[in-house]
Amino acid sequence: MAVDTAAGAGALHFGMMVRRHRIRIGLTQRELADFSTISVRAIRDIEQGRARRPRTDTVRLLADGLRLGPRARAAFETAANRGMAGRALKEGFRAEPPGPPAVLDPIVGREREAAVIEDELGSGAERLITIVGLGGVGKTRLAVEVAGRLRAAARFPVLWYTMPGSSARTGGDLAGGDFTDVTRGCVEDVFGSGDGQGVGAFAELAGDGPALLVVDGLGRPEPRPDRLARLLRECPDLRLLVTADEPCGVRGERQFLLAPLETTGPDGEPADAPAVRLFHDLADRTARRARRTPAETALAAEICRRLDGVPLALRAAASWLLIYDLETLLRCLAAGPAELLDHLAGTDGASGLREALERCVGRLPAADAELLSVLSAGDGGFSLDDVVALTGRSLPASGRVVRDLLLRGLVRTSQEPGRPPFQVLETVRATAARVPEQLPFGAPHRVSHGL
């Protein structure tokens, strides 16, 4: 439904609010009509944004029928007011653009990634970027950094939406104050089972000016291409930044794989490694400050290597420095991948890391999960030839499997001399290391590198 005025945007905004409250308490339109004494047709017109100026009595009866409490009723009546929900809402969007959520976590070692994404979105070279990677690798934190830079440098309004049930660490569902319902409706339309009205309301709010929509914590994204195309068409200067376990898989998407932090510096010195710098910063925030002598830096670098440079794992390990010195912590982590996550359990971030790992591994196709288990049972190193031998698949088919594992952040490339070209992450091995008695694609086979 095309909407050409700010009052139309307000009507759609109010209509979506009515529909959301109705669904929340489990009422059909007919049942709400019975409770409120308003006709089904009038409720349908309101929910579809056709009623531009609902009467005060109508708003009051709807609030009664929806059983709204005092605070919800006040917000409901405010949204029904044409000035607030319409022109004033749109004018406020541009006058004081909303920004991303505030976070306390430091961002270390992501300067290049942040600069690349900021440039691509800010210039309009890319309109849809999906940051993918292992849970805990820092996708949300990077998105916050990029959104903050665009907001500060170019006054981009930032509409942020965290998916329900997501483990993203942003402190909840933040979409931008008064714009929450409009943002939620748009995201539900594009990535869920919305009825299509949300895209129209969002397009009216954002208009043809620059804006950034961040959708944080998509598990397995399945966007509706027609709705996505309509959103990008009706908002010609809108950019989308998505964080997800997997790529969206739509045409025109820029897939940005966020790898763990490097555990060695550019010149080979551990002190310059981003993972080590972050670990030292985290250690400084505990009761124990790192002295950063060459010996302690070498121990910190080995801890970071065993934890793959995954920021959430580093956070969990650093919290143990309340009682351990670095050497003791390293000995605990060196017991093997099977005990790694168990030892970290109960520390800052460890439960979220375990959940993210289990979710990511659990979403693999059965045959790929079994393959990952075998690859994890040795030292985690493997080649494409190993995958061909294990699965009996062709080289192109095996390449697709490895590519999928890379995009999910479960494996990484290795440039170490004498090592195979791919490596299962230690934190992943702690989750997936289970040698099956029989693979679904044939007899068990031992990988040539270290198993």
Side-chain angles (χ1 to χ4, degrees):
M1 176 180 177
V3 182
D4 298 323
T5 67
L12 280 172
H13 172 73
F14 179 64
M16 286 191 297
M17 182 178 283
V18 172
R19 181 175 181 273
R20 178 167 59 84
H21 281 301
R22 174 176 63 78
I23 292 174
R24 177 181 56 82
I25 61 175
L27 295 181
T28 65
Q29 289 180 340
R30 167 60 65 186
E31 290 168 335
L32 178 57
D34 292 340
F35 281 121
S36 64
T37 70
I38 297 173
S39 70
V40 174
R41 179 176 179 179
I43 291 173
R44 184 183 302 116
D45 286 347
I46 288 172
E47 289 192 0
Q48 293 178 354
R50 296 195 187 103
R52 299 292 180 87
R53 300 179 183 178
R55 296 169 54 186
T56 302
D57 286 346
T58 300
V59 174
R60 176 178 56 80
L61 290 170
L62 279 173
D64 291 341
L66 292 168
R67 310 167 195 170
L68 300 181
R71 292 183 61 183
R73 180 183 287 266
F76 190 76
E77 292 173 349
T78 298
N81 181 281
R82 177 173 175 261
M84 172 62 186
R87 184 172 293 105
L89 187 71
K90 187 170 182 178
E91 290 175 354
F93 180 72
R94 291 298 170 189
E96 188 57 40
V103 293
L104 298 177
D105 298 347
I107 185 165
V108 176
R110 298 300 191 191
E111 293 80 6
R112 183 187 63 81
E113 292 93 334
V116 168
I117 299 177
E118 178 192 7
D119 178 67
E120 291 180 349
L121 290 175
S123 67
E126 300 289 350
R127 296 191 63 195
L128 169 59
I129 295 180
T130 303
I131 304 175
V132 294
L134 187 68
V137 79
K139 301 186 292 292
T140 295
R141 185 63 185 85
L142 178 60
V144 171
E145 180 70 15
V146 171
R149 290 185 181 191
L150 289 173
R151 170 70 171 77
R155 287 188 62 79
F156 265 64
V158 177
L159 292 164
W160 185 287
Y161 187 73
T162 300
M163 295 298 292
S166 167
S167 59
R169 297 160 61 89
T170 55
D173 169 13
L174 175 71
D178 295 328
F179 316 110
T180 298
D181 287 323
V182 176
T183 305
R184 179 187 293 111
C186 177
V187 173
E188 289 177 350
D189 272 4
V190 175
F191 294 98
S193 56
D195 57 13
Q197 295 182 56
V199 170
F202 186 94
E204 177 59 29
L205 176 68
D208 57 3
L212 176 67
L213 172 60
V214 182
V215 184
D216 187 32
L218 275 175
R220 179 171 287 177
E222 295 181 357
R224 301 182 62 166
D226 57 331
R227 300 261 178 92
L228 178 60
R230 177 190 169 195
L231 176 65
L232 295 175
R233 182 177 63 253
E234 295 189 8
C235 301
D237 217 5
L238 175 69
R239 280 76 151 165
L240 274 77
L241 182 59
V242 176
T243 72
D245 291 341
E246 307 171 28
C248 292
V250 296
R251 188 172 183 179
E253 174 192 26
R254 157 80 148 107
Q255 300 174 3
F256 192 96
L257 174 60
L258 187 61
L261 293 172
E262 291 291 337
T263 57
T264 57
D267 56 359
E269 291 296 324
D272 297 329
V276 177
R277 286 193 286 120
L278 176 60
F279 184 77
H280 277 317
D281 287 348
L282 293 169
D284 287 346
R285 299 172 75 185
T286 66
R288 174 189 180 280
R289 297 185 63 85
R291 292 193 298 273
R292 306 194 188 191
T293 63
E296 285 209 342
T297 298
L299 289 170
E302 182 60 19
I303 290 171
C304 293
R305 188 191 67 78
R306 289 188 178 274
L307 296 175
D308 308 303
V310 175
L312 195 57
L314 299 180
R315 176 179 302 280
S319 67
W320 276 109
L321 295 177
L322 285 168
I323 60 171
Y324 292 157
D325 58 22
L326 288 173
E327 186 174 0
T328 304
L329 176 59
L330 178 58
R331 287 207 313 270
C332 292
L333 297 179
E339 298 182 22
L340 186 147
L341 289 183
D342 287 335
H343 184 71
L344 294 181
T347 62
D348 186 18
S351 59
L353 175 64
R354 181 189 288 276
E355 291 169 3
L357 288 165
E358 291 176 348
R359 181 181 68 245
C360 194
V361 173
R363 284 176 175 164
L364 288 173
D368 294 352
E370 296 287 6
L371 171 64
L372 187 65
S373 293
V374 175
L375 297 174
S376 299
D379 65 359
F382 67 97
S383 67
L384 273 176
D385 288 340
D386 291 323
V387 176
V388 171
L390 278 165
T391 64
R393 298 171 179 169
S394 66
L395 183 61
S398 296
R400 284 192 291 271
V401 172
V402 175
R403 180 179 182 274
D404 187 48
L405 294 176
L406 281 167
L407 286 176
R408 292 171 187 259
L410 297 171
V411 305
R412 65 184 178 197
T413 58
S414 174
Q415 306 296 329
E416 295 182 37
R419 291 285 301 162
F422 303 103
Q423 175 74 39
V424 183
L425 272 66
E426 291 291 318
T427 45
V428 174
R429 291 177 63 214
T431 303
R434 178 182 58 85
V435 180
E437 294 182 1
Q438 181 72 26
L439 295 173
F441 37 69
H445 177 90
R446 296 181 73 81
V447 179
S448 59
H449 298 283
L451 288 189

